[in-house]
Amino acid sequence: MAIDPNFDQNRERVGEENGVTVWGPVDEPEQLGIHGTHVAVDYDICIADGACLENCPVDVFTWVDTPGHPASEEKVEPTRESQCIDCMLCVDICPVDAIDVDASRK
């Protein structure tokens, strides 16, 4: 199952972590929601293979610990999503379709 491209309409904004918007539902540690808005990562399906972090030409992503999450113990956070150049490489390279980039959500 891929990230919902309309999450900003279908989910409630529940807060922020490290300056990044979090969209619910969140029930830690099993359910962590979607992090980011312009560049969004669905933490519930992210397997943390790191391809997006390693290949992003403008270093949008950083690692964050997510202990106890069933998919992985860490996730990639779009910490610097404002730097995104909309190249869509992260979207194309994610093996589980956990990332969405939408210029209209800047």
Side-chain angles (χ1 to χ4, degrees):
M1 179 169 68
I3 187 173
D4 175 3
N6 299 311
F7 69 87
D8 58 325
Q9 298 163 19
N10 297 333
R11 292 181 177 225
E12 181 180 344
R13 181 182 172 168
V14 295
E16 277 191 11
E17 285 185 22
N18 304 317
V20 177
T21 302
V22 178
W23 304 83
V26 172
D27 185 18
E28 295 182 13
E30 293 86 14
Q31 194 172 24
L32 301 175
I34 294 175
H35 291 233
T37 301
H38 172 64
V39 179
V41 179
D42 189 331
Y43 276 25
D44 296 324
I45 57 177
C46 173
I47 59 170
D49 78 329
C52 56
L53 183 137
E54 294 169 7
N55 291 285
C56 178
V58 293
D59 297 320
V60 166
F61 303 98
T62 58
W63 288 114
V64 294
D65 292 327
T66 56
H69 191 271
S72 64
E73 295 280 317
E74 60 185 356
K75 306 291 180 189
V76 290
E77 178 179 76
T79 308
R80 295 177 291 275
E81 68 181 317
S82 64
Q83 293 180 196
C84 179
I85 58 173
D86 299 332
C87 72
M88 307 299 280
L89 180 60
C90 60
V91 173
D92 294 339
I93 205 167
C94 181
V96 293
D97 298 323
I99 303 172
D100 187 53
V101 175
D102 188 334
S104 70
R105 293 191 307 248
K106 277 191 174 181

XYZ file of all heavy atoms in Angstrom:
808
model
N 0.847 -1.177 0.000
C 0.000 0.000 0.000
C 0.894 1.242 0.000
O 1.806 1.364 0.811
C -0.896 -0.015 1.233
C -1.781 1.196 1.318
S -3.065 1.088 2.581
C -2.117 1.138 4.071
N 0.654 2.168 -0.887
C 1.449 3.391 -1.024
C 0.885 4.508 -0.151
O -0.250 4.443 0.332
C 1.453 3.831 -2.484
N 1.690 5.553 0.018
C 1.248 6.733 0.750
C 0.016 7.332 0.066
O -0.098 7.321 -1.161
C 2.386 7.769 0.846
C 1.999 8.935 1.767
C 2.811 8.254 -0.535
C 3.133 9.912 2.042
N -0.901 7.825 0.848
C -2.105 8.478 0.332
C -1.707 9.845 -0.224
O -1.274 10.718 0.531
C -3.129 8.639 1.459
C -4.369 9.408 1.060
O -4.516 9.791 -0.121
O -5.209 9.649 1.949
N -1.845 10.082 -1.533
C -1.451 11.366 -2.104
C -2.327 12.529 -1.634
O -1.953 13.687 -1.785
C -1.563 11.149 -3.612
C -2.526 10.029 -3.762
C -2.357 9.163 -2.549
N -3.454 12.224 -1.046
C -4.367 13.252 -0.528
C -4.399 13.263 1.001
O -5.401 13.641 1.604
C -5.774 13.036 -1.081
C -5.800 13.144 -2.586
O -5.267 14.091 -3.150
N -6.382 12.157 -3.230
N -3.295 12.852 1.619
C -3.265 12.751 3.081
C -3.595 14.076 3.759
O -4.190 14.094 4.824
C -1.900 12.249 3.561
C -0.795 13.241 3.358
C -0.528 14.210 4.310
C -0.042 13.224 2.198
C 0.488 15.138 4.113
C 0.974 14.143 1.994
C 1.229 15.107 2.951
N -3.219 15.194 3.137
C -3.460 16.492 3.771
C -4.946 16.836 3.816
O -5.359 17.698 4.589
C -2.663 17.596 3.076
C -2.967 17.727 1.602
O -3.227 16.704 0.929
O -2.938 18.862 1.096
N -5.743 16.140 3.016
C -7.192 16.306 3.048
C -7.875 15.181 3.819
O -8.949 15.372 4.384
C -7.746 16.342 1.617
C -7.223 17.502 0.799
C -7.438 17.300 -0.687
O -8.265 16.498 -1.098
N -6.679 18.015 -1.493
N -7.242 14.011 3.851
C -7.857 12.832 4.455
C -7.415 12.551 5.891
O -7.987 11.686 6.539
C -7.555 11.594 3.610
C -8.148 11.694 2.228
O -9.151 12.369 2.023
N -7.515 11.046 1.265
N -6.399 13.256 6.353
C -5.875 13.027 7.701
C -5.840 14.340 8.475
O -5.781 15.411 7.899
C -4.465 12.443 7.652
C -4.423 11.040 7.100
C -2.999 10.544 7.104
N -2.903 9.173 6.652
C -2.160 8.253 7.258
N -1.467 8.558 8.328
N -2.108 7.037 6.790
N -5.797 14.215 9.765
C -5.743 15.383 10.639
C -4.296 15.685 11.011
O -3.515 14.784 11.313
C -6.542 15.093 11.908
C -6.569 16.236 12.884
C -7.367 15.894 14.135
O -8.130 14.910 14.120
O -7.194 16.614 15.124
N -3.967 16.963 10.976
C -2.655 17.392 11.451
C -2.648 17.245 12.970
O -3.499 17.819 13.656
C -2.405 18.837 11.047
C -1.073 19.335 11.481
C -0.873 20.779 11.118
N 0.359 21.221 11.745
C 0.967 22.323 11.492
N 0.461 23.169 10.613
N 2.077 22.635 12.111
N -1.696 16.464 13.497
C -1.698 16.172 14.931
C -0.528 16.796 15.686
O -0.446 16.654 16.904
C -1.739 14.646 15.192
C -3.039 14.053 14.687
C -0.536 13.945 14.591
N 0.362 17.483 14.993
C 1.470 18.129 15.686
C 2.693 18.271 14.817
O 2.612 18.246 13.591
N 3.834 18.431 15.500
C 5.121 18.580 14.845
C 6.182 17.807 15.599
O 6.095 17.660 16.811
C 5.557 20.054 14.820
C 4.984 20.856 13.718
C 5.658 22.226 13.587
O 6.698 22.467 14.228
O 5.117 23.039 12.837
N 7.160 17.314 14.855
C 8.352 16.702 15.436
C 9.542 17.257 14.680
O 9.567 17.207 13.450
C 8.317 15.178 15.315
C 7.368 14.521 16.285
C 7.446 13.010 16.237
O 8.473 12.456 15.780
O 6.471 12.385 16.654
N 10.495 17.804 15.399
C 11.697 18.375 14.787
C 11.355 19.426 13.729
O 12.043 19.548 12.718
C 12.581 17.278 14.177
C 12.963 16.222 15.175
O 13.310 16.532 16.308
N 12.877 14.970 14.782
N 10.264 20.153 13.930
C 9.854 21.179 12.981
C 9.131 20.651 11.759
O 8.844 21.400 10.829
N 8.817 19.353 11.746
C 8.143 18.707 10.614
C 6.709 18.384 11.020
O 6.478 17.797 12.077
C 8.892 17.417 10.194
C 8.159 16.699 9.083
C 10.322 17.743 9.779
N 5.743 18.752 10.183
C 4.338 18.485 10.464
C 4.070 16.986 10.487
O 4.571 16.241 9.641
C 3.446 19.152 9.408
O 3.710 20.551 9.417
C 1.975 18.913 9.681
N 3.252 16.548 11.448
C 2.862 15.149 11.553
C 1.357 15.053 11.344
O 0.583 15.799 11.940
C 3.234 14.560 12.941
C 2.774 13.110 13.052
C 4.727 14.683 13.185
N 0.970 14.128 10.481
C -0.435 13.871 10.147
C -0.817 12.521 10.717
O -0.135 11.528 10.490
C -0.619 13.869 8.625
C -0.149 15.136 7.975
C 1.134 15.446 7.612
C -0.941 16.263 7.625
N 1.178 16.702 7.062
C -0.086 17.230 7.043
C -2.304 16.562 7.746
C -0.538 18.460 6.600
C -2.755 17.778 7.288
C -1.884 18.716 6.724
N -1.904 12.458 11.461
C -2.323 11.254 12.156
C -3.044 10.260 11.277
O -3.180 10.469 10.081
N -3.485 9.212 11.894
C -3.428 8.944 13.324
C -2.049 8.468 13.770
O -1.291 7.900 12.997
C -4.473 7.845 13.522
C -4.543 7.132 12.216
C -4.233 8.170 11.175
N -1.755 8.739 15.036
C -0.503 8.320 15.657
C -0.842 7.566 16.936
O -1.635 8.042 17.748
C 0.402 9.531 15.974
C 1.600 9.101 16.794
C 0.831 10.227 14.699
N -0.259 6.391 17.086
C -0.389 5.581 18.293
C 0.947 4.858 18.468
O 1.112 3.725 18.011
C -1.554 4.600 18.172
C -1.806 3.820 19.445
O -1.326 4.240 20.520
O -2.484 2.776 19.371
N 1.904 5.561 19.057
C 3.277 5.051 19.166
C 3.349 3.785 19.995
O 2.574 3.627 20.921
C 4.175 6.124 19.784
C 4.310 7.341 18.908
C 5.232 8.391 19.501
O 5.957 8.091 20.478
O 5.233 9.510 18.986
N 4.248 2.874 19.694
C 5.233 2.952 18.632
C 4.781 2.319 17.322
O 5.464 2.421 16.325
C 6.413 2.170 19.203
C 5.767 1.073 20.003
C 4.517 1.726 20.589
N 3.611 1.693 17.307
C 3.190 0.952 16.115
C 2.688 1.831 14.979
O 2.839 1.478 13.810
C 2.091 -0.063 16.459
C 2.549 -1.197 17.343
C 2.472 -0.833 18.824
O 1.823 0.170 19.165
O 3.083 -1.550 19.627
N 2.061 2.948 15.278
C 1.470 3.804 14.251
C 2.052 5.208 14.415
O 1.841 5.854 15.438
C -0.050 3.825 14.399
C -0.774 4.390 13.233
C -2.279 4.196 13.353
O -2.820 4.052 14.451
N -2.954 4.198 12.232
N 2.785 5.663 13.387
C 3.509 6.926 13.497
C 3.012 8.008 12.538
O 3.495 9.132 12.584
C 5.006 6.688 13.281
C 5.653 5.706 14.262
C 7.104 5.463 13.883
C 5.527 6.202 15.692
N 2.100 7.683 11.645
C 1.523 8.680 10.749
C 2.438 9.091 9.609
O 3.419 8.429 9.286
N 2.093 10.218 9.007
C 2.843 10.777 7.886
C 3.566 12.021 8.381
O 2.974 12.872 9.038
C 1.902 11.109 6.711
C 1.321 9.810 6.143
C 2.634 11.902 5.632
C 0.290 10.003 5.047
N 4.845 12.119 8.037
C 5.664 13.248 8.464
C 6.045 14.079 7.243
O 6.559 13.541 6.264
C 6.918 12.751 9.182
C 6.623 12.125 10.501
N 7.240 12.525 11.646
C 5.754 11.153 10.866
C 6.783 11.816 12.667
N 5.873 10.972 12.205
N 5.800 15.389 7.340
C 6.101 16.300 6.247
C 4.837 16.717 5.522
O 3.763 16.132 5.722
N 4.960 17.744 4.710
C 3.821 18.229 3.938
C 4.176 18.300 2.462
O 3.637 17.563 1.655
C 3.365 19.612 4.460
O 3.021 19.485 5.839
C 2.150 20.120 3.698
N 5.109 19.168 2.099
C 5.563 19.232 0.701
C 6.263 17.935 0.319
O 5.996 17.351 -0.723
C 6.497 20.439 0.507
C 7.159 20.473 -0.826
N 6.454 20.612 -1.981
C 8.462 20.376 -1.179
C 7.299 20.593 -3.011
N 8.516 20.444 -2.542
N 7.165 17.491 1.168
C 7.793 16.177 1.038
C 7.264 15.369 2.211
O 7.538 15.685 3.362
C 9.334 16.264 1.119
C 9.949 14.884 1.014
C 9.885 17.193 0.045
N 6.482 14.355 1.934
C 5.824 13.592 2.980
C 6.292 12.140 2.969
O 6.410 11.536 1.899
C 4.311 13.646 2.788
N 6.552 11.615 4.165
C 6.967 10.221 4.314
C 5.968 9.523 5.226
O 5.728 9.959 6.348
C 8.380 10.118 4.933
C 8.776 8.652 5.094
C 9.406 10.859 4.083
N 5.385 8.443 4.729
C 4.476 7.641 5.546
C 5.321 6.714 6.401
O 5.861 5.711 5.924
C 3.522 6.851 4.650
C 2.419 6.166 5.430
O 2.643 5.818 6.613
O 1.332 5.964 4.861
N 5.465 7.070 7.672
C 6.307 6.298 8.577
C 5.774 4.895 8.806
O 6.516 4.018 9.224
C 6.416 7.016 9.924
C 7.468 8.096 9.982
C 7.910 8.759 8.853
C 8.023 8.449 11.200
C 8.871 9.752 8.925
C 8.995 9.437 11.288
C 9.411 10.083 10.152
O 10.378 11.062 10.241
N 4.504 4.676 8.555
C 3.933 3.360 8.812
C 4.288 2.346 7.735
O 4.185 1.147 7.971
C 2.428 3.468 9.013
C 2.104 4.286 10.243
O 2.849 4.187 11.240
O 1.131 5.052 10.207
N 4.733 2.816 6.568
C 5.149 1.873 5.529
C 6.628 2.000 5.174
O 7.168 1.139 4.494
C 4.265 1.973 4.268
C 4.258 3.373 3.687
C 2.855 1.512 4.569
C 3.453 3.510 2.396
N 7.300 3.047 5.656
C 8.731 3.237 5.398
C 9.526 2.089 6.017
O 9.352 1.773 7.192
C 9.185 4.572 5.992
S 10.974 4.852 5.920
N 10.387 1.470 5.204
C 11.225 0.370 5.693
C 12.667 0.817 5.921
O 13.529 0.012 6.237
C 11.186 -0.838 4.741
C 11.675 -0.449 3.345
C 9.789 -1.442 4.709
C 11.896 -1.621 2.400
N 12.940 2.088 5.734
C 14.241 2.689 6.027
C 15.388 2.044 5.260
O 16.438 1.774 5.819
C 14.507 2.684 7.530
N 15.207 1.831 3.969
C 16.317 1.295 3.185
C 17.347 2.378 2.872
O 18.468 2.073 2.493
C 15.822 0.614 1.913
C 15.447 1.576 0.810
O 14.997 2.704 1.112
O 15.590 1.213 -0.369
N 16.979 3.660 3.043
C 17.920 4.761 2.912
C 18.176 5.270 1.513
O 18.964 6.189 1.322
N 17.530 4.705 0.518
C 17.785 5.134 -0.864
C 17.456 6.610 -1.073
O 18.195 7.327 -1.743
C 16.986 4.275 -1.840
N 16.369 7.079 -0.489
C 15.993 8.489 -0.656
C 17.035 9.401 -0.019
O 17.464 10.394 -0.615
C 14.611 8.760 -0.071
S 14.445 8.310 1.663
N 17.481 9.051 1.170
C 18.469 9.853 1.879
C 19.796 9.886 1.127
O 20.406 10.947 0.958
C 18.664 9.291 3.286
C 19.616 10.062 4.179
C 19.021 10.188 5.569
C 20.949 9.364 4.242
N 20.223 8.749 0.644
C 21.511 8.649 -0.043
C 21.502 9.318 -1.412
O 22.548 9.774 -1.882
C 21.910 7.179 -0.189
C 22.196 6.519 1.138
C 22.324 5.007 1.031
O 22.317 4.466 -0.098
O 22.421 4.368 2.087
N 20.359 9.376 -2.073
C 20.305 9.873 -3.446
C 19.721 11.266 -3.617
O 19.778 11.820 -4.712
C 19.525 8.882 -4.315
C 20.295 7.598 -4.502
O 21.246 7.546 -5.262
N 19.909 6.559 -3.780
N 19.169 11.846 -2.563
C 18.575 13.179 -2.669
C 19.675 14.198 -3.000
O 20.636 14.340 -2.250
C 17.877 13.567 -1.371
S 17.166 15.225 -1.418
N 19.533 14.936 -4.109
C 20.587 15.875 -4.507
C 20.698 17.113 -3.613
O 21.697 17.824 -3.678
C 20.200 16.261 -5.929
C 18.735 16.051 -6.001
C 18.445 14.884 -5.086
N 19.689 17.374 -2.774
C 19.726 18.565 -1.914
C 19.606 18.212 -0.428
O 19.352 19.075 0.398
C 18.650 19.599 -2.330
C 18.975 20.188 -3.692
C 17.258 18.988 -2.318
N 19.803 16.963 -0.069
C 19.848 16.503 1.324
C 18.624 16.903 2.147
O 18.750 17.459 3.240
C 21.125 17.004 2.009
C 22.375 16.450 1.361
O 22.365 15.263 0.992
O 23.362 17.208 1.214
N 17.454 16.581 1.636
C 16.209 16.867 2.345
C 16.069 15.994 3.597
O 15.558 16.449 4.611
C 14.996 16.656 1.404
C 13.688 16.612 2.181
C 14.955 17.750 0.346
N 16.551 14.767 3.552
C 16.258 13.771 4.585
C 17.360 13.603 5.628
O 18.540 13.761 5.337
C 16.007 12.407 3.932
C 14.902 12.418 2.925
C 15.177 12.523 1.563
C 13.577 12.353 3.319
C 14.150 12.533 0.629
C 12.545 12.368 2.393
C 12.844 12.459 1.043
N 16.932 13.243 6.849
C 17.833 12.832 7.919
C 17.237 11.584 8.570
O 16.047 11.304 8.429
C 17.997 13.933 8.993
O 16.717 14.248 9.537
C 18.634 15.181 8.420
N 18.071 10.850 9.300
C 17.593 9.672 10.031
C 17.008 10.092 11.368
O 17.547 10.975 12.030
C 18.727 8.689 10.303
C 19.213 7.938 9.116
C 20.442 8.034 8.545
C 18.506 6.960 8.360
N 20.533 7.177 7.472
C 19.354 6.504 7.338
C 17.222 6.421 8.436
C 18.977 5.540 6.408
C 16.838 5.463 7.511
C 17.709 5.024 6.519
N 15.910 9.450 11.763
C 15.365 9.592 13.111
C 15.061 8.194 13.641
O 14.706 7.293 12.883
C 14.088 10.471 13.164
C 14.417 11.904 12.800
C 12.985 9.938 12.278
N 15.226 8.032 14.936
C 14.952 6.746 15.574
C 13.461 6.565 15.805
O 12.772 7.504 16.225
C 15.687 6.647 16.909
C 17.186 6.569 16.732
O 17.639 5.980 15.723
O 17.913 7.086 17.593
N 12.976 5.358 15.523
C 11.573 5.009 15.761
C 11.526 3.634 16.437
O 11.021 2.670 15.865
C 10.758 5.004 14.453
O 11.383 4.104 13.508
C 10.659 6.387 13.857
N 12.061 3.549 17.650
C 12.127 2.252 18.325
C 10.747 1.635 18.524
O 9.793 2.311 18.855
C 12.784 2.579 19.665
C 12.620 4.043 19.857
C 12.514 4.648 18.492
N 10.680 0.345 18.239
C 9.441 -0.391 18.434
C 8.501 -0.408 17.242
O 7.495 -1.116 17.266
N 8.819 0.349 16.194
C 7.923 0.324 15.025
C 8.147 -0.983 14.264
O 9.284 -1.383 14.029
C 8.161 1.518 14.101
C 7.108 1.650 13.060
N 7.192 1.029 11.837
C 5.908 2.279 13.088
C 6.101 1.290 11.141
N 5.305 2.054 11.878
N 7.073 -1.663 13.876
C 7.222 -2.976 13.245
C 7.925 -2.963 11.885
O 8.534 -3.961 11.506
C 5.785 -3.490 13.113
C 4.898 -2.327 13.347
C 5.670 -1.301 14.098
N 7.877 -1.865 11.127
C 8.510 -1.839 9.804
C 10.002 -1.561 9.878
O 10.772 -2.069 9.062
C 7.832 -0.814 8.906
N 10.433 -0.740 10.849
C 11.861 -0.450 11.018
C 12.078 0.388 12.275
O 11.184 1.118 12.698
C 12.427 0.291 9.802
O 11.820 1.555 9.672
N 13.260 0.303 12.814
C 13.613 1.003 14.055
C 14.082 2.445 13.808
O 14.428 3.148 14.747
C 14.710 0.235 14.787
C 14.267 -1.124 15.280
C 13.480 -1.053 16.578
O 13.864 -0.300 17.479
O 12.459 -1.766 16.682
N 14.141 2.849 12.546
C 14.467 4.222 12.181
C 13.715 4.573 10.905
O 13.249 3.691 10.186
C 15.975 4.425 12.015
C 16.602 3.569 10.946
C 18.115 3.706 10.885
O 18.695 4.530 11.619
O 18.723 2.993 10.084
N 13.593 5.866 10.660
C 12.877 6.357 9.469
C 13.664 7.513 8.883
O 14.515 8.118 9.528
C 11.470 6.864 9.830
C 10.602 5.872 10.579
C 10.192 4.729 9.712
C 9.325 3.759 10.525
N 9.052 2.545 9.828
N 13.340 7.866 7.643
C 13.908 9.063 7.040
C 12.904 10.194 7.210
O 11.741 10.056 6.871
C 14.267 8.862 5.558
C 15.455 7.945 5.413
C 13.099 8.336 4.764
N 13.381 11.266 7.787
C 12.524 12.420 8.046
C 12.834 13.518 7.027
O 14.002 13.808 6.784
C 12.800 12.933 9.454
C 12.000 14.159 9.820
C 12.320 14.591 11.228
O 13.407 15.173 11.428
O 11.495 14.336 12.124
N 11.802 14.142 6.464
C 12.039 15.239 5.519
C 12.366 16.534 6.271
O 11.656 17.533 6.174
C 10.726 15.320 4.744
C 9.690 14.871 5.720
C 10.369 13.815 6.554
N 13.451 16.501 7.018
C 13.839 17.589 7.910
C 14.002 18.919 7.176
O 13.647 19.963 7.693
C 15.162 17.232 8.623
O 15.018 15.949 9.217
C 15.508 18.251 9.681
N 14.525 18.853 5.967
C 14.763 20.071 5.188
C 13.896 20.076 3.934
O 14.370 20.324 2.829
C 16.256 20.167 4.857
C 17.132 20.334 6.094
C 18.618 20.367 5.767
N 19.127 19.070 5.314
C 19.533 18.083 6.113
N 19.484 18.230 7.417
N 19.987 16.968 5.616
N 12.600 19.826 4.116
C 11.709 19.735 2.956
C 11.623 21.038 2.182
O 11.324 21.034 0.987
C 10.320 19.209 3.339
C 9.493 20.121 4.195
C 8.141 19.509 4.548
O 7.479 18.917 3.679
O 7.742 19.635 5.714
N 11.907 22.170 2.807
C 11.868 23.451 2.100
C 12.971 23.549 1.043
O 12.878 24.356 0.121
C 11.984 24.618 3.075
O 13.237 24.596 3.727
N 13.996 22.704 1.142
C 15.076 22.681 0.154
C 14.731 21.844 -1.076
O 15.486 21.847 -2.052
C 16.358 22.128 0.783
C 16.946 23.012 1.834
C 18.219 22.437 2.439
O 18.625 22.882 3.471
N 18.840 21.444 1.835
N 13.638 21.125 -1.036
C 13.263 20.206 -2.118
C 13.155 20.950 -3.455
O 12.570 22.025 -3.535
C 11.936 19.534 -1.782
S 11.359 18.388 -3.049
N 13.719 20.346 -4.497
C 13.670 20.926 -5.838
C 12.679 20.184 -6.748
O 12.690 20.367 -7.956
C 15.075 20.964 -6.475
C 15.677 19.550 -6.552
C 15.985 21.922 -5.703
C 16.985 19.453 -7.326
N 11.844 19.356 -6.154
C 10.800 18.625 -6.874
C 11.332 17.732 -7.999
O 10.685 17.554 -9.021
C 9.749 19.593 -7.432
C 9.055 20.385 -6.353
O 8.952 19.888 -5.222
O 8.610 21.515 -6.632
N 12.499 17.153 -7.792
C 13.060 16.267 -8.821
C 12.362 14.910 -8.843
O 12.463 14.176 -9.828
C 14.562 16.095 -8.626
S 15.047 15.085 -7.196
N 11.701 14.555 -7.734
C 10.930 13.310 -7.609
C 11.785 12.046 -7.534
O 11.255 10.944 -7.572
C 9.914 13.168 -8.744
C 8.993 14.360 -8.909
S 7.985 14.689 -7.465
C 6.704 13.497 -7.689
N 13.089 12.196 -7.377
C 13.949 11.022 -7.279
C 13.569 10.158 -6.086
O 13.496 8.933 -6.190
C 15.422 11.436 -7.193
C 16.429 10.299 -7.083
C 16.338 9.373 -8.293
C 17.835 10.850 -6.939
N 13.288 10.792 -4.950
C 12.926 10.023 -3.753
C 11.645 9.222 -3.974
O 11.530 8.082 -3.529
C 12.798 10.933 -2.538
S 11.558 12.240 -2.689
N 10.696 9.814 -4.662
C 9.434 9.129 -4.964
C 9.698 7.928 -5.867
O 9.182 6.830 -5.637
C 8.425 10.099 -5.618
C 7.186 9.367 -6.093
C 8.064 11.229 -4.665
N 10.506 8.134 -6.884
C 10.797 7.076 -7.852
C 11.620 5.937 -7.263
O 11.467 4.785 -7.670
C 11.541 7.652 -9.059
C 10.683 8.609 -9.867
O 9.441 8.538 -9.763
O 11.266 9.446 -10.594
N 12.489 6.245 -6.297
C 13.429 5.253 -5.777
C 12.907 4.486 -4.559
O 13.416 3.426 -4.232
C 14.781 5.931 -5.475
C 15.903 4.932 -5.535
C 14.750 6.687 -4.168
C 17.283 5.549 -5.571
N 11.879 4.992 -3.915
C 11.360 4.336 -2.703
C 10.742 2.978 -3.066
O 9.782 2.919 -3.831
C 10.321 5.223 -2.014
S 9.670 4.483 -0.500
N 11.258 1.893 -2.486
C 10.767 0.568 -2.865
C 9.352 0.255 -2.384
O 8.718 -0.673 -2.894
C 11.783 -0.386 -2.234
C 12.324 0.365 -1.068
C 12.335 1.815 -1.494
N 8.842 1.025 -1.391
C 7.505 0.749 -0.867
C 6.535 1.911 -1.088
O 5.451 1.935 -0.512
C 7.564 0.372 0.636
C 8.270 -0.964 0.831
C 8.213 1.474 1.454
N 6.924 2.879 -1.916
C 6.069 4.036 -2.236
C 5.599 4.775 -0.985
O 4.435 5.145 -0.855
C 4.864 3.611 -3.073
C 5.264 3.021 -4.420
O 6.235 3.522 -5.001
O 4.620 2.062 -4.866
N 6.539 5.022 -0.056
C 6.224 5.687 1.195
C 6.351 7.208 1.118
O 6.068 7.891 2.085
C 7.113 5.162 2.318
N 6.796 7.734 -0.033
C 7.085 9.171 -0.156
C 6.199 9.806 -1.211
O 5.976 9.240 -2.283
C 8.558 9.410 -0.505
C 9.471 8.756 0.541
C 8.864 10.904 -0.638
C 10.936 8.771 0.192
N 5.735 11.025 -0.908
C 4.983 11.814 -1.877
C 5.545 13.230 -1.868
O 5.810 13.783 -0.800
C 3.482 11.848 -1.520
C 2.655 12.518 -2.580
O 2.743 12.124 -3.758
O 1.925 13.463 -2.239
N 5.754 13.792 -3.045
C 6.197 15.173 -3.192
C 5.146 15.894 -4.023
O 4.796 15.434 -5.107
C 7.576 15.255 -3.886
C 7.967 16.713 -4.152
C 8.643 14.566 -3.059
N 4.651 16.994 -3.506
C 3.602 17.737 -4.206
C 3.879 19.233 -4.088
O 3.818 19.804 -2.998
C 2.244 17.408 -3.592
C 1.084 17.984 -4.385
O 1.263 18.994 -5.093
O -0.021 17.428 -4.277
N 4.209 19.835 -5.217
C 4.553 21.264 -5.238
C 3.407 22.152 -4.778
O 3.623 23.246 -4.271
C 4.990 21.680 -6.638
N 2.174 21.693 -4.909
C 1.030 22.518 -4.475
C 0.929 22.593 -2.962
O 0.183 23.427 -2.435
C -0.277 21.974 -5.067
O -0.626 20.734 -4.472
N 1.672 21.743 -2.252
C 1.641 21.747 -0.780
C 2.846 22.484 -0.184
O 3.194 22.263 0.952
C 1.591 20.327 -0.239
C 0.303 19.608 -0.548
C 0.177 18.312 0.237
N 1.321 17.442 0.099
C 1.313 16.275 -0.529
N 0.215 15.840 -1.108
N 2.397 15.540 -0.586
N 3.471 23.342 -0.932
C 4.633 24.074 -0.397
C 4.217 25.076 0.613
O 3.190 25.656 0.610
C 5.389 24.785 -1.526
C 6.331 23.841 -2.220
C 7.261 24.594 -3.134
C 8.284 23.638 -3.686
N 9.238 24.263 -4.548
